[in-house]
Amino acid sequence: EVQLVESGGGLVQPGGSLRLSCVASGFIFSNFHMHWVRQAPGKGLEYVSAISPNGDDTVYANFVEGRFTISRDNSKNTMFLQMGSLRAEDMAVYYCVRHDAYGSYDYWGQGTLVTVSS
Amino acid sequence: DVVMTQSPLSLPVTLGQPASISCRSSQSLVHSDGNTFLNWFQQRPGQPPRRLIYMVSKRDSGVPDRFSGSGSGTDFTLKISRVEAEDVGVYYCMQGAHWPTWTFGQGTKVEIK
């Protein structure tokens, strides 16, 4: 059974940093692109970042503006999102998602909540 | 970025009646490989999204056959043939044709009248 489990969310002050993790199981992690997608409270879904299977290629949404870094450790079946210079508008549930072969997201984690507030 | 526009944004429906959600993209979703990468997700209250449909009309395993997807190019539709109580939630279309930035529609909230 495919499972994606996020952790690392919490309360952080504006301008602060946070590192999210996503542990994957039930599939060959190193074969798949992985993404982060976020959802602000009461709002819709928004693509954040993506990483290639071997970690060599990364992509970010325009709003990231160099503040976030996506990475992965295939030996530990884990993906990360290092977030810095956090703003109020970054407050959201961050989902770890698997990118399948059909231009889609076939599996989602339960999400981890990031709260940015003083 | 490709803009995905859903309508309506709110859809009150009667149990047992059909429902239909439209999704339009600002660019064609036909990929260079000839496939069309349009997806539909359901998000029940308090839950992460769950994929229902991929590549316009392919239903995921375990998705009831009352859900169907159709369309081509830039116009797509999700239909629920007979709405059940468990269908309450927000439905999103998403394009996966234009890498590297995949985009979602605004979401359509389905509720029971």
Side-chain angles (χ1 to χ4, degrees):
Chain A
E1 178 193 5
V2 171
Q3 286 196 326
L4 301 169
V5 180
E6 304 94 336
S7 62
L11 174 64
V12 61
Q13 292 186 341
S17 299
L18 216 52
R19 189 195 199 202
L20 307 184
S21 300
C22 169
V23 177
S25 60
F27 65 101
I28 302 174
F29 181 68
S30 58
N31 283 356
F32 288 84
H33 285 80
M34 297 294 295
H35 294 216
W36 289 98
V37 171
R38 72 182 186 181
Q39 185 171 36
K43 301 297 184 183
L45 301 167
E46 183 175 45
Y47 162 89
V48 177
S49 183
I51 188 166
S52 61
N54 64 7
D56 285 353
D57 297 311
T58 59
V59 186
Y60 300 92
N62 290 338
F63 64 79
V64 169
E65 298 176 337
R67 300 178 298 125
F68 298 175
T69 301
I70 190 172
S71 62
R72 66 193 294 164
D73 183 343
N74 286 344
S75 69
K76 297 181 179 178
N77 290 346
T78 303
M79 176 176 68
F80 305 97
L81 186 67
Q82 178 69 47
M83 302 189 296
S85 302
L86 283 163
R87 307 165 179 165
E89 53 266 36
D90 295 318
M91 185 160 63
V93 174
Y94 284 73
Y95 293 105
C96 166
V97 291
R98 192 177 83 166
H99 164 176
D100 72 358
Y102 305 109
S104 188
Y105 297 136
D106 56 352
Y107 288 96
W108 297 65
Q110 288 294 313
T112 186
L113 176 63
V114 173
T115 302
V116 183
S117 176
S118 55
Chain B
D1 293 355
V2 177
V3 177
M4 306 296 289
T5 303
Q6 289 182 229
S7 63
L9 300 185
S10 178
L11 183 57
V13 295
T14 301
L15 286 174
Q17 293 300 302
S20 180
I21 301 170
S22 171
C23 176
R24 291 186 173 176
S25 58
S26 61
Q27 299 178 37
S28 172
L29 300 187
V30 179
H31 191 263
S32 56
D33 65 6
N35 290 310
T36 301
F37 294 124
L38 184 282
N39 310 277
W40 290 98
F41 297 89
Q42 174 195 61
Q43 188 174 31
R44 291 171 170 154
Q47 295 293 314
R50 161 204 182 195
R51 192 176 68 183
L52 299 175
I53 302 282
Y54 62 101
M55 291 178 68
V56 182
S57 59
K58 298 182 184 301
R59 239 187 338 265
D60 270 275
S61 174
V63 174
D65 60 8
R66 64 179 181 274
F67 289 94
S68 64
S70 63
S72 63
T74 60
D75 289 337
F76 305 92
T77 302
L78 176 70
K79 291 183 179 177
I80 310 174
S81 59
R82 295 172 305 278
V83 172
E84 297 190 6
E86 66 179 17
D87 300 335
V88 165
V90 181
Y91 291 78
Y92 296 92
C93 61
M94 188 203 87
Q95 67 84 12
H98 295 272
W99 180 257
T101 304
W102 291 352
T103 44
F104 295 88
Q106 316 98 300
T108 295
K109 186 175 184 179
V110 171
E111 56 187 10
I112 304 301
K113 282 183 182 175

